[in-house]
């Protein structure tokens, strides 16, 4: 089976999962106690039969649950994700607008977690039981032990209020900086593509702290895993064999030991996608980051079922995609795993 | 490598016309384990001449692997300490060499074949990478030249379809093929000395025979010096020029291969010879036929280490350790017995 | 996995480590402070506050002098606000508190209320108005100099179009014009609105910022419809989300949903309330703690969602001022006398009213004054009615009279959240302790907000708590909602007083302020003595801002009157 076939098959297999997910979400969003009309109109509006009738019709709330689900799924097949009662516009448009911010943040967090975690893990393994090791372990503990929300406020207190290294939690750009032309919606990338260096710098300055806070948990986890697995394979025969071929310690570490040590880390990255999206909700709240996490909270509060479904399906798809990517990465790193067999 | 004048060897005297490539004097290796500090190698001295093949035999744990792996300093420093002696390779003091010298000697001058080929090959790197990194570093080959060379090497060690095999990972090789590949890897940078640490233990008899034939051929073709470590005297018979018999971290007997087989002096050598099976069967365990077990190296006995298992034990053996002494031409033994005892069979 | 692990010792260590870092950071405060300003140039510079440039701006109180060209406003006012509910900028479609805060930026109603006395109506786009003797016809005489940000002059047609459109889109704010049977332009500067029934609160309703006048010429060009088909035919929302075509001091520059909304000074503004800043940027910041940090760090000049906990942390922050103002919101207890419960007997309800330690509750919530009935202090008549004081002995006596000297126990189902910064669980624990003194045992059952709201609306909760924020600032909003037998909440809890209903109708039909006060006070007294609905807290509103701005004032209908803020 070719890689392409494998990937296609994985996506096809994910379809029932996503349909199941949509049903569960739909039921939860529609049958939990709460009246979306009151959320939309307030008690005053909800007490006025004329207004209620207009809204019920406008948002299709006069149809039965199963009927609404069927209509929703039919529209979904045609790429129509429905309308959000919270933002009063197309859910697809909302996702298109808000998702790039989260992707940008999550990607930055993954980079921070992976690069920082691997580097810290290598440092700790190299200086096992000495102060760099202790330092890395302390930081890893901090990263994985402190709740994101708290860590975010703490990081802001230190790096924004006291040290003034980063801008405040004012979102993705300073108010004086113009949003770069839309290519991906990820400001750092868009600014780079269009050569707007000042915007790029501003976007990066706003991105770095939330990315660290969001990635901290996985940075700590990866650092500990890399350290443990480097120490575990430190005495591996193939490293001795490489040494016997005259390879330098540096090369042995980077070429021979690290790829082996990274195999378990890849699995963690797969899990990280879920964790990062969960953490994004809180990180986005603390840093006023206009992403999908906040949208999810807003719409869930408003019992906005089409928007909630849209977010759920999007996250489901992201999850599937990232798992496939992780599988492919895994197979690339570890030839003993053969995709599709 | 700029080689100074060869150091004259004192003991045992060299046959004329040969000069020592490797000279090991009074090597001591200590293993620090949780149980205590083990004297794995206790004063081992020997020389290897150019083109010569030395066999080192002994039971598991006698210090033979520790001896050869300590020569290019491959033992993990966290556990093993070379606590004394000297190792000179072509005039270079390896125990005091700097990293740079060590990196060029390892692989470039001394190739090593390990016991377990699977674990000695990096599972996540293609064979091409592992086969070419040595030649690229030591011989200064380009990537493509090194790949050509790897192809030749795989062909030389008898791996069919080498083009395809180069692209594969170790897990896709069979056991015998892996060991051949290990040999190819060890020889890739044209070393002058090959250290083989029980390379055929994990292989079945047929493959073992093929590997031995391969090494024999390469030795002749390339003028290699070889140090071959095994617990199997049977293998050594057809391969080595000279044999060192090790027991409890020391050399107990040393002689040319013919003498060892026909006129063994040390009772341990005799016991080893007795344990060679009449019918060649596949065997993995270490000589169950010698009753008793080797002594602890954490607290080695005062006298002859073999005394507890010796059929010819004398009273002085318990408190006096016999030194290696010359008992014939090129033949030394660490036993108080005057004459060669009769074989017990 | 992960974020909520159970490894407590790990957490504890981590917190210690974090503290040590924080302490280390404190040490380097001074150094950071000096180097920081350079690094902050792109964000900090609380632009609107640079003192050198301020004199140009005209204070809000200065009367407009048409013809004289005032110098252009400068600087930027930066605000942190939670804009989760900001769905649309189209006033008829908007429903959220945040709209009350933002709409005055770009739109003005015909009349407005006096922030100092919410019972007083002041002119805005209407220079004057007359009310017919029967209270059915309102004629608004418009200002003739008012211009939209588009440059067009405002006329009566614009008012009619905007009002008709709001009424016919049938958004939640349409109730304001429910009673208006006709809205006509009697001449280019006069709008006459006829009501189906007298409504003395009509002017108060018209102060709603959603009843702003928009440029009908521009709206029509962009798909706006104002007739009866508007609820389906009007397509102007998208346009209004990109361009605000009102008469207010500011106009929309950019709205990046979920991120920020930016307004520029309206160069065509002709009113009295001249824009003081060249730009106002409102950042969407949800978390009070984050808002506080931005304020402390000087990244914003004003934070609108600071709760009392966060405010405590800002008390000592330099350059930051925290104002605590009595709001017009209410937190009340609802005692249901329909359900089979001891509350059917008014003596029991009055006993509970007497048993609550209001001073203690005030300490808990920081709000010390409370009204006698569910009408916020400051509105018509309520200030004249004395609230029932705490009297435990009196409560015991009432219970004994009702044959319940031994007490009883009852379930309290309430929403588990903290409206206006008052955690309801804490409030109920306090009340529970108070009622224990008269042998009443409360079984506290905090539930999710939505579940609670559904149960409360269904009228099935014997005892609960709820809140109310005014739809418009007039006592009739309260009598309509809580006082008359027809009102939704009265029906829910079984408060059925025909006298109160009659008083409501009289207040509605009376325009004389003194008479309205008197009638309202009578209704409030009935509501107080019935004790079905007991207001326990009139919460405070907290405004936190940097001292680089001034004239930051609470507004009962706009939360904060941002257009009045000036630099310096």
């Amino acid at each position: 089976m070719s890689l392409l076939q494998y990937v296609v098959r994985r996506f096809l297999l994910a379809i029932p999962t996503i349909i199941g997910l949509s049903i569960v979400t739909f039921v939860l969003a529609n049958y939990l106690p709460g009246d979306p009309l009151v959320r939309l109109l307030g008690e005053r509006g909800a007490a006025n039969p004329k207004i209620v009738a207009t809204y019920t019709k406008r948002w299709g709330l006069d149809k039965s649950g199963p009927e609404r689900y069927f209509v929703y799924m039919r529209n979904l097949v045609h790429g129509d994700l429905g309308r959000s009662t919270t933002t009063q516009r197309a859910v697809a448009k909302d996702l298109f607008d808000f998702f790039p911010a989260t992707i940008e943040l999550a990607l930055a967090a993954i980079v921070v977690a992976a690069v920082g975690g691997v580097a810290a893990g290598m440092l700790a393994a190299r200086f096992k039981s000495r102060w760099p090791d202790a330092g890395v372990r302390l930081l890893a503990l901090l990263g994985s032990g402190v709740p994101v929300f708290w860590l975010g406020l703490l990081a802001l207190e230190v790096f924004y209020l006291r040290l003034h290294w980063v801008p405040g939690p004012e979102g993705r750009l300073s108010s004086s900086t113009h949003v770069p032309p839309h290519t991906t919606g990820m400001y750092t990338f868009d600014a780079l593509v269009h050569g707007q260096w000042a915007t790029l710098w501003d976007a990066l300055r706003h991105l770095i702290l939330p990315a660290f806070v969001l990635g901290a948990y996985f940075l700590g986890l990866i650092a500990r895993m890399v350290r443990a697995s480097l120490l575990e394979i430190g005495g591996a025969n193939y490293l001795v064999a490489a040494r016997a071929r005259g390879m330098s310690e540096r090369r042995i570490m980077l070429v021979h030991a690290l790829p082996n040590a990274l195999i378990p880390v890849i699995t963690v990255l797969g899990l990280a996608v879920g964790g990062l999206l969960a953490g994004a909700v809180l990180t986005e709240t603390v840093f006023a980051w206009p992403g999908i996490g906040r949208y999810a909270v807003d719409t869930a509060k408003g019992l906005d079922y089409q928007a909630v479904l849209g977010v759920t399906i999007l996250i489901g798809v992201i999850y599937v995609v990232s798992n496939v990517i992780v599988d492919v990465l895994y197979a690339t790193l570890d030839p003993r795993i053969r995709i599709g067999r | 490598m700029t080689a100074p004048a060869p150091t004259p060897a004192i003991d045992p005297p060299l046959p004329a016309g040969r000069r020592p490539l490797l000279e090991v004097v009074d090597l001591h290796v200590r293993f620090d384990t949780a149980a205590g500090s083990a004297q794995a190698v206790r004063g081992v001295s020997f020389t290897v001449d150019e083109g010569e093949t030395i066999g080192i035999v002994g039971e598991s744990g006698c210090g033979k692997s520790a001896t050869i792996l300590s020569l290019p300093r491959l033992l993990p420093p966290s556990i093993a300490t070379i606590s004394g002696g000297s190792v000179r390779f072509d005039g270079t003091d390896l125990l005091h060499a700097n990293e740079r010298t060590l990196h060029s000697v390892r692989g470039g001058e001394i190739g090593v074949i390990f016991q377990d080929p699977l674990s000695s090959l990096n599972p996540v790197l293609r064979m091409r990478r592992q086969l070419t990194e040595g030649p690229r570093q030591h011989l200064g080959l380009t990537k493509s030249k090194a790949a050509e060379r790897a192809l030749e090497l795989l062909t030389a060690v008898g791996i069919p379809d080498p083009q395809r095999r180069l692209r594969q990972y170790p897990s896709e090789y069979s056991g015998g093929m892996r060991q051949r590949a290990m040999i190819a890897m060890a020889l890739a940078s044209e070393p002058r000395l090959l250290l083989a640490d029980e390379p055929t233990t994990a292989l079945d008899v047929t493959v073992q025979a093929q590997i031995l034939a391969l090494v024999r051929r390469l030795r002749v073709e390339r003028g290699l010096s070889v140090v071959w470590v095994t617990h199997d005297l049977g293998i050594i018979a057809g391969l080595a020029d000279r044999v060192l018999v090790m027991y409890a971290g020391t050399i107990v007997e040393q002689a040319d291969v013919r003498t060892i087989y026909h006129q063994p002096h040390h009772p341990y050598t005799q016991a080893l010879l007795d344990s060679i099976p009449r019918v060649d069967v596949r065997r993995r365990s270490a000589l169950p036929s010698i009753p008793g077990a080797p002594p602890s190296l954490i607290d080695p006995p005062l006298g002859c280490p073999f005394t507890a298992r010796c059929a010819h034990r004398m009273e002085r053996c318990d408190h006096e350790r016999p030194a290696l002494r010359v008992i014939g031409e090129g033949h030394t033994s660490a036993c108080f017995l005057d004459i060669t005892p009769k074989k017990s069979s | 996995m992960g974020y909520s692990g159970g490894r407590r010792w790990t957490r504890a260590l981590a917190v210690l480590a974090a503290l040590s870092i924080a302490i280390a950071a404190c040490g380097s405060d001074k150094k950071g402070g000096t180097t920081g300003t350079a690094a902050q140039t792109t964000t900090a510079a609380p632009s609107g506050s640079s003192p050198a440039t301020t004199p140009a701006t005209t204070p809000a109180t200065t009367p407009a002098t048409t013809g004289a060209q005032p110098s252009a406003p400068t600087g930027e006012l930066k605000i942190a606000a939670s804009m989760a509910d900001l769905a649309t900028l189209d006033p008829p479609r908007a429903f959220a508190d945040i709209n009350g805060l933002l709409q005055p930026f770009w739109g003005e109603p015909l009349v407005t209320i006096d922030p100092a006395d919410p019972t007083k109506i002041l002119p805005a786009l209407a220079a004057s108005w007359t009310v017919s003797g029967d209270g059915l016809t309102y004629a608004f005489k418009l200002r003739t100099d008012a211009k939209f940000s588009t440059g067009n002059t405002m006329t009566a047609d614009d008012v009619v179009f905007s009002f008709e459109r709001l009424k016919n889109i049938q958004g939640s704010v349409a109730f304001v014009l429910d009673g208006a049977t006709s809205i006509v332009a009697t001449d280019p500067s006069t709008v006459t609105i006829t009501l189906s029934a007298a409504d003395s609160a009509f002017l108060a309703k018209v102060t709603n910022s959603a009843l702003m006048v928009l440029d009908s010429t521009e709206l029509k060009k962009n798909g706006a419809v104002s007739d009866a088909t508007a609820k389906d035919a009007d397509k102007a929302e998208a346009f209004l989300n990109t361009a605000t075509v009102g008469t207010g001091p500011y106009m929309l520059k950019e709205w990046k949903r979920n991120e920020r909304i930016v307004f520029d000074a309206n160069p065509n503004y002709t009113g009295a309330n001249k824009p003081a800043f060249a730009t106002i940027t409102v950042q969407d910041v949800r978390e009070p703690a984050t808002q506080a940090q931005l304020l402390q760090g000087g990244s914003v000049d004003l934070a609108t969602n600071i709760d009392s906990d966060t405010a405590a942390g800002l008390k000592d922050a330099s350059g930051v001022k925290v104002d605590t103002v009595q709001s017009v919101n209410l937190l009340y207890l609802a005692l249901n006398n329909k359900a089979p419960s001891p509350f059917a007997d008014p003596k029991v309800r009055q006993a509970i009213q007497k048993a609550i330690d209001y001073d203690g509750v005030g300490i808990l919530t920081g709000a010390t004054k409370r009204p006698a009935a569910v009408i916020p202090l400051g509105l018509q008549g309520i200030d004249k009615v004395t609230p029932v004081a705490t009297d435990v002995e009196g409560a015991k006596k009432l219970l004994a009279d009702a044959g319940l000297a031994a007490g009883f126990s009852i379930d309290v189902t309430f929403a588990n959240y903290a409206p206006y910064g008052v955690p309801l669980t804490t409030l109920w624990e306090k009340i529970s302790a108070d009622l224990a003194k008269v042998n009443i045992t409360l079984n506290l059952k905090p539930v999710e907000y939505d579940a609670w709201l559904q149960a409360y609306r269904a009228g099935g909760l014997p005892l609960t708590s709820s809140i109310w924020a005014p739809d418009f600032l007039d006592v009739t909003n309260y009598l309509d909602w809580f006082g008359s037998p027809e009102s939704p909440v009265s029906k829910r809890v079984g408060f059925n007083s025909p006298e109160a209903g009659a008083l409501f109708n009289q207040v509605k039909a009376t325009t004389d302020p003194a008479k309205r006060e008197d009638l309202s006070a009578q209704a409030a007294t009935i509501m107080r003595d019935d004790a079905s609905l007991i207001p326990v807290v009139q919460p405070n509103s907290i405004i936190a801002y940097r001292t680089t701005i001034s004239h930051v004032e609470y507004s009962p209908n706009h939360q904060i009157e941002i257009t009045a803020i000036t630099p310096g």
Side-chain angles (χ1 to χ4, degrees), chain B residues 67-114:
Chain B
T67 301
I68 65 158
L69 291 181
S70 66
L71 305 181
R73 287 169 40 196
L74 286 175
L75 291 174
S78 54
I79 312 168
T81 312
I82 299 172
S83 47
S86 79
V87 175
R88 296 187 84 80
F89 178 82
D90 200 11
T92 309
D93 180 354
L94 292 186
L95 297 190
H96 298 98
N98 59 24
E99 284 284 304
R100 211 187 147 131
T101 312
L102 217 51
H103 287 159
S104 82
V105 169
R106 288 174 182 166
E109 302 283 341
I110 302 176
V112 185
I113 315 176
F114 294 90

Side-chain angles (χ1 to χ4, degrees), chain A residues 145-184:
Chain A
V146 180
V148 170
F149 187 80
W150 213 79
L151 191 66
L153 289 178
L154 185 77
L156 281 169
E157 179 71 30
V158 174
F159 296 106
Y160 164 57
L161 283 183
R162 296 203 180 276
L163 299 175
H164 304 280
W165 287 358
V166 296
E170 57 186 8
R172 302 169 74 188
L173 290 176
S174 304
S175 61
S176 53
T177 306
H178 290 287
V179 172
H182 191 285
T183 304
T184 60

Side-chain angles (χ1 to χ4, degrees), chain A residues 69-257:
Chain A
Y69 179 74
F70 181 75
V71 169
Y72 179 83
M73 289 312 279
R74 196 185 55 199
N75 292 341
L76 184 66
V77 173
H78 295 103
D80 178 2
L81 289 161
R83 283 178 73 81
S84 160
T85 54
T86 313
T87 61
Q88 304 189 4
R89 60 177 191 164
V91 171
K93 176 88 179 116
D94 284 345
L95 297 181
F96 181 81
D97 270 11
F98 305 147
F99 201 54
T102 300
I103 286 286
E104 185 175 41
L105 177 60
L107 283 180
I110 286 180
V111 168
V112 164
V115 174
V118 168
M122 282 169 64
L123 195 71
R126 174 76 182 75
F127 298 99
K128 181 180 174 253
S129 307
R130 285 194 272 158
W131 69 264
D133 185 21
V136 165
R137 270 159 47 183
L138 186 72
L139 280 177
L141 207 64
L142 194 69
S144 43
V146 180
V148 170
F149 187 80
W150 213 79
L151 191 66
L153 289 178
L154 185 77
L156 281 169
E157 179 71 30
V158 174
F159 296 106
Y160 164 57
L161 283 183
R162 296 203 180 276
L163 299 175
H164 304 280
W165 287 358
V166 296
E170 57 186 8
R172 302 169 74 188
L173 290 176
S174 304
S175 61
S176 53
T177 306
H178 290 287
V179 172
H182 191 285
T183 304
T184 60
M186 293 185 263
Y187 290 172
T188 48
F189 187 83
D190 291 353
L192 189 71
V193 169
H194 293 94
Q196 299 182 345
W197 309 119
T199 308
L200 175 65
W201 173 237
D202 193 47
L204 280 175
R205 279 171 11 107
H206 283 80
L207 182 60
I208 186 77
L209 201 60
F212 257 99
V213 167
L214 180 56
Y217 176 83
F218 287 99
L219 192 155
L221 191 65
I222 289 172
R224 282 183 299 173
M225 287 188 70
V226 168
R227 176 186 181 274
S229 79
L230 275 179
L231 290 178
E232 190 190 310
I233 63 172
N237 286 343
Y238 55 81
L239 298 186
V240 179
R243 213 164 275 135
R245 290 198 290 274
M247 297 302 118
S248 66
E249 288 307 312
R250 190 185 147 84
R251 186 179 161 88
I252 285 169
M253 174 66 124
L254 293 176
V255 176
H256 291 269

Side-chain angles (χ1 to χ4, degrees), chain C residues 93-169:
Chain C
R93 292 184 165 88
F95 162 74
D97 292 347
I98 185 68
N99 297 102
L101 185 77
L102 297 181
Q103 281 169 350
F105 286 30
W106 77 88
E108 294 168 300
L110 295 182
V111 290
T112 188
I113 56 161
D114 183 352
D117 178 2
T119 61
K120 259 192 204 153
I121 305 290
L122 301 177
L125 285 178
S128 63
W129 58 91
T130 54
V131 187
S132 65
D134 56 6
L136 290 177
T137 309
Y138 285 72
F140 295 95
K141 190 76 189 159
L142 303 178
R143 272 173 50 206
T144 50
D145 64 330
K147 276 188 174 173
F148 296 108
S149 54
T150 54
N152 297 336
T153 303
M154 183 200 66
T155 67
D157 289 340
D158 294 309
V159 180
V160 173
F161 188 88
S162 299
F163 281 24
E164 287 283 358
R165 181 169 175 268
L166 178 127
K167 187 172 148 76
N168 288 320
I169 280 179

Side-chain angles (χ1 to χ4, degrees), chain B residues 243-280:
Chain B
V243 179
L244 310 181
V245 180
M246 280 190 72
Y247 187 75
T250 61
I251 294 175
V252 294
E253 186 163 7
Q254 177 178 178
D256 64 74
V257 68
R258 189 176 297 270
T259 310
I260 287 287
Y261 278 87
H262 297 293
Q263 291 158 319
H265 176 261
H266 200 284
Y268 178 64
T269 314
Q270 289 171 23
L272 278 182
L273 285 167
D274 289 346
S275 72
I276 296 175
R278 298 292 176 258
V279 184
D280 217 357

Side-chain angles (χ1 to χ4, degrees), chain A residues 237-238 240-241 243-248 251 255-256 259-260 263 333 335-336 338, chain B residues 74 103 106-107 114 119-125 129-130 133 137-138 169 171 185:
Chain A
N237 286 343
Y238 55 81
V240 179
R243 213 164 275 135
R245 290 198 290 274
M247 297 302 118
S248 66
R251 186 179 161 88
V255 176
H256 291 269
N260 282 286
I263 290 169
L333 261 186
R336 288 165 294 190
R338 277 279 146 260
Chain B
L74 286 175
H103 287 159
R106 288 174 182 166
F114 294 90
S119 71
S120 303
L121 292 169
N122 195 327
V124 307
L125 299 182
R129 186 105 174 239
Q130 304 191 51
E133 63 179 2
Q137 177 176 321
H138 298 294
Y169 291 94
S171 52
M185 222 171 270

Side-chain angles (χ1 to χ4, degrees), chain B residues 102-163:
Chain B
L102 217 51
H103 287 159
S104 82
V105 169
R106 288 174 182 166
E109 302 283 341
I110 302 176
V112 185
I113 315 176
F114 294 90
Q115 185 167 357
D116 177 10
L118 181 57
S119 71
S120 303
L121 292 169
N122 195 327
V124 307
L125 299 182
R126 287 178 203 278
M127 288 304 294
R128 184 208 308 275
R129 186 105 174 239
Q130 304 191 51
L131 273 161
T132 54
E133 63 179 2
R136 289 181 69 185
Q137 177 176 321
H138 298 294
L139 308 178
L141 298 184
T142 61
K143 203 168 176 174
S144 59
K145 287 277 178 207
E148 271 172 41
R149 178 164 176 80
L151 207 64
E152 285 165 23
L153 282 164
L154 284 192
T155 315
V157 298
I159 290 179
D161 197 4
Q163 195 82 54

